Amino acid sequence: MVFPGAYTLEETMKKFLIAGAVCAFAATSVYAQTATEYYVVRDASTKKCTVVDKKPTATTTTVVDNGTFKTKTEAETGMKSIKVCTEK
């Protein structure tokens, strides 16, 4: 006996697959927004290095060497070993 408004197994599976894909997309886009990178940048005029959480777009500062890090602590430690940042 088939009930009015009842879904077939194929229709139910399609709905679960679509719902799963939407959930996976939402989870990955939330992760992408929270993944922060830190950069060691050098000011062209003062010649001083600093750690920032956004990639510089101005021409007055540049990312030095391999100055991209996953955490602020890593960036601060890395800045101590970058030659242009330690020169006086």
Side-chain angles (χ1 to χ4, degrees), residues 8-82:
T8 65
L9 180 61
E10 185 177 314
E11 290 172 326
T12 304
M13 288 179 65
K14 281 182 185 178
K15 288 182 187 250
F16 275 114
L17 284 172
I18 290 171
V22 168
C23 289
F25 176 75
T28 56
S29 58
V30 166
Y31 174 74
Q33 291 173 356
T34 59
T36 303
E37 288 187 322
Y38 292 89
Y39 302 91
V40 176
V41 297
R42 185 172 186 230
D43 188 291
S45 59
T46 64
K47 308 279 193 242
K48 290 187 179 183
C49 293
T50 54
V51 175
V52 296
D53 62 353
K54 291 185 173 54
K55 194 169 187 174
T57 55
T59 57
T60 56
T61 57
T62 55
V63 177
V64 291
D65 199 27
N66 187 19
T68 305
F69 300 90
K70 292 183 195 264
T71 66
K72 187 173 184 177
T73 305
E74 285 179 3
E76 290 167 344
T77 304
M79 185 169 64
K80 294 174 186 171
S81 64
I82 297 173

